[in-house]
Amino acid sequence: LGKDPDSTDQILKMSFALANKASASVSRVSSSRSSVKAQALQSWLPGSVRPAHLDGKLAGDFGFDPLGLGKDPKALKWYVEAELIHARLAMTAAAGIVLPALATKAGAVSIPQWYEAGEVYIKSEGAIPFATLAAIQLFATNFVEVKRWKDIENTGSQAEPGTFFGLESTFKPVSPSYPGGPFDPLGLSKDPAAFEDFKTKEIKNGRLAML
């Protein structure tokens, strides 16, 4: 190479060209990844600045927290769990309103409208008194909610001996919101990527149901 300066120059030029091309390719890949990440972090209000505590890791996170309620990590954890359980209750209620109404209209069953069902039951023969129903509901709901709250604060704590009448083994240290097992009979959580997509769809439909 030292005997042929022209050949050396050509080799150096080719080396620089290849290096520049590789650098450009890396830059394009990096830019593409940044673009994908930016697209993933969608905002409920285009152009608005997302709160620092909402980094897009939560299902259905669109940066909506105008009052800053989630700045405290402990509070945010509770709000996430509370929203999810209310979303599921709302979806169940929506189904309980729509499906019986459709079945009644089709002539398959005869069920009162949802806004009349309570009164019809209370006035029916052999109905449990409203005060009794309210007392049972209050006790049962309070018991379950306290257990769930404690498990959210410290996952697996409700499986410790002496916390549930000797049946603690049924409360395995899993996620309170996504326990899996018998609550996932179709195995939808086995694929991590698909599972994250299902989480987002669930909370979006749940928010719609709550509205």
Side-chain angles (χ1 to χ4, degrees), residues 108-203:
V109 294
S110 179
I111 299 176
Q113 291 291 336
W114 64 273
Y115 49 83
E116 298 174 344
E119 182 182 5
V120 171
Y121 172 76
I122 291 298
K123 291 181 177 179
S124 65
E125 185 178 354
I128 300 174
F130 176 77
T132 304
L133 284 175
I136 294 173
Q137 181 73 10
L138 180 62
F139 173 78
T141 301
N142 179 71
F143 177 78
V144 172
E145 283 298 295
V146 170
K147 297 288 286 184
R148 189 170 64 87
W149 178 26
K150 293 296 183 182
D151 201 38
I152 289 171
E153 286 187 325
N154 183 16
T155 301
S157 63
Q158 300 310 293
E160 296 175 359
T163 59
F164 193 60
F165 312 115
L167 302 174
E168 299 83 10
S169 60
T170 58
F171 294 92
K172 297 180 181 179
V174 296
S175 168
S177 299
Y178 306 99
F183 295 98
D184 183 20
L186 300 179
L188 300 178
S189 61
K190 292 181 178 179
D191 183 345
F195 187 38
E196 291 302 316
D197 186 47
F198 284 131
K199 285 182 181 179
T200 300
K201 289 178 178 178
E202 178 186 36
I203 195 62

Side-chain angles (χ1 to χ4, degrees), residues 50-64:
R50 293 175 59 92
H53 57 278
L54 297 178
D55 54 8
K57 293 180 181 179
L58 296 172
D61 176 11
F62 295 99
F64 181 79

Side-chain angles (χ1 to χ4, degrees), residues 40-54:
L41 294 178
Q42 299 178 24
S43 175
W44 69 280
L45 182 62
S48 63
V49 178
R50 293 175 59 92
H53 57 278
L54 297 178

Side-chain angles (χ1 to χ4, degrees), residues 5-15:
D6 293 337
S7 177
T8 300
D9 289 341
Q10 290 179 357
I11 292 175
L12 289 174
K13 289 179 180 179
M14 290 179 62
S15 298

